[in-house]
Amino acid sequence: MDHLSRIGIFIAVVKNHSFAGAAKELGITSSAVSKQVQNLENELQVKLLNRTTRKVSTTEEGAIYFERAARALEDLNEAQEQVHELKTNPKGSLKVSIPLSLGINYLIKEIADFAKQYPDIHLDVSFDDRIVDVVSEGFDLVIRISELRDSSLIARRLAPCPFVICASHEYLKTHGALNSPDDLTNHNVLAYTRNTGLHEWRYKDADGQNGQVSLKGTFKSDTGQMMCEAALQGIGIAILPIFYVAEHLKSGYLIQILPEYTTWPNRDIHAVFMPNRYLSTRLRLFVDHLAIVCKSLPW
């Protein structure tokens, strides 16, 4: 095995924090991984890794070597990609994470259209409501609905995503109408358990004044789909991104509450990816495709 291949194995070990994890990623045995890292250490005449029965960590020299070698290997891979993309159609893999209901309700056909248009781009699309780790989980692109705070990532705004307070006719008939945000304290407001903050609603009124109200409720869920169904069944009031409820509002099965107040801060749909110096053609094409699709979202 050549020197460059050994460097790639060393980088995989550091990223996976184990020989077994690197072996699984590379499709070789753990013993082969260990042997090649040892050969690399022998070539460099320096110890790169501290090995224990529980984990693997870099030495001081190993950390320096990893940082420089990983960037150099990335540059080589990017150069290879650029050469291929100049000669042929865009090709390679794209691993993407999209919120479940947004993807299922509004993006699956368009993503399939993209895959059909670019058959040499191998898509791995995950629909999941959790906040994935772009770096450690190896995603090329994630779609997030939020007020973005992670400055280490690059984001492209695709569309607005207002949050809507709504309930069914049945619920409002039984529990009464609401005239102000403070009225929410007397109602059963469904709670989203993936939200690590307090169960409260922050809003802005028609005059631009901010406010907040504490909420209470007897129903919790970690997915907006369940909360939407609970609202449809008259269990309580839901505060949800527009893509969960847009069709139900249009059909009249759900009624928007307090429309003169806006959930604050505003949320948008963003395409988020790592700040690589070279943006692959396949990633750029996919983001551009999503940007066009999102211009036609019904809200």
Side-chain angles (χ1 to χ4, degrees):
M1 185 171 291
D2 60 35
H3 182 71
L4 196 59
S5 298
R6 292 191 183 103
I7 293 174
I9 292 174
F10 165 71
I11 290 170
V13 171
V14 176
K15 287 183 176 180
N16 286 278
H17 306 290
S18 73
F19 289 99
K24 184 177 180 180
E25 176 185 325
L26 298 171
I28 58 179
T29 64
S30 295
S31 60
V33 170
S34 179
K35 179 180 179 181
Q36 294 306 322
V37 170
Q38 186 174 2
N39 288 342
L40 180 62
E41 289 178 322
N42 291 338
E43 290 175 0
L44 298 173
Q45 296 186 338
V46 66
K47 185 178 181 182
L48 298 172
L49 297 174
N50 292 313
R51 304 160 173 84
T52 69
T53 56
R54 300 188 63 181
K55 67 175 185 178
V56 175
S57 61
T58 58
T59 63
E60 182 178 358
E61 294 84 357
I64 295 171
Y65 190 76
F66 169 76
E67 181 179 354
R68 298 293 295 273
R71 175 54 62 91
L73 200 60
E74 180 182 318
D75 285 343
L76 286 172
N77 289 333
E78 289 176 356
Q80 183 174 333
E81 285 186 4
Q82 284 181 305
V83 169
H84 280 303
E85 291 180 351
L86 285 172
K87 292 175 62 179
T88 64
N89 292 327
K91 62 193 308 181
S93 61
L94 273 181
K95 187 178 180 182
V96 181
S97 174
I98 299 174
L100 179 63
S101 286
L102 175 64
I104 295 296
N105 291 329
Y106 296 104
L107 299 179
I108 54 173
K109 180 181 181 301
E110 288 73 14
I111 292 173
D113 288 342
F114 180 87
K116 185 176 182 180
Q117 184 178 357
Y118 298 103
D120 291 329
I121 297 178
H122 300 164
L123 283 170
D124 179 355
V125 184
S126 171
F127 293 110
D128 198 331
D129 286 335
R130 70 186 178 87
I131 301 297
V132 303
D133 189 313
V134 182
V135 180
S136 67
E137 297 185 56
F139 284 100
D140 298 294
L141 173 74
V142 301
I143 303 299
R144 286 185 178 164
I145 294 95
S146 64
E147 176 193 22
L148 290 181
R149 298 174 182 174
D150 190 344
S151 59
S152 68
L153 300 172
I154 294 177
R156 177 174 173 182
R157 182 181 180 274
L158 300 177
C161 186
F163 276 52
V164 179
I165 303 183
C166 56
S168 67
H169 284 284
E170 176 188 354
Y171 179 88
L172 294 174
K173 183 179 179 180
T174 303
H175 299 278
L178 291 83
N179 298 310
S180 73
D182 289 338
D183 291 341
L184 285 167
T185 58
N186 300 316
H187 286 266
N188 186 24
V189 183
L190 312 176
Y192 183 57
T193 55
R194 290 187 189 272
N195 181 6
T196 57
L198 299 173
H199 189 30
E200 64 180 11
W201 183 47
R202 289 182 290 160
Y203 62 87
K204 181 174 284 190
D205 64 22
D207 296 323
Q209 298 298 311
N210 293 332
Q212 64 185 57
V213 56
S214 296
L215 307 173
K216 60 183 179 181
T218 62
F219 190 97
K220 300 177 181 179
S221 179
D222 65 353
T223 173
Q225 285 179 303
M226 182 71 254
M227 294 172 65
C228 181
E229 183 60 30
L232 288 166
Q233 296 293 337
I235 295 170
I237 294 173
I239 305 175
L240 287 170
I242 185 66
F243 59 82
Y244 284 107
V245 298
E247 297 303 321
H248 302 304
L249 293 170
K250 183 178 179 181
S251 66
Y253 288 112
L254 290 176
I255 306 298
Q256 185 173 359
I257 300 169
L258 304 173
E260 63 273 29
Y261 296 88
T262 303
T263 299
W264 191 258
N266 287 326
R267 270 77 165 187
D268 294 311
I269 301 173
H270 291 97
V272 180
F273 44 92
M274 288 292 293
N276 293 334
R277 290 169 294 173
Y278 164 64
L279 185 65
S280 69
T281 301
R282 61 184 181 276
L283 178 56
R284 178 179 55 78
L285 287 171
F286 189 70
V287 173
D288 288 345
H289 181 74
L290 290 179
I292 293 171
V293 169
C294 286
K295 288 181 180 180
S296 300
L297 292 173
W299 57 89

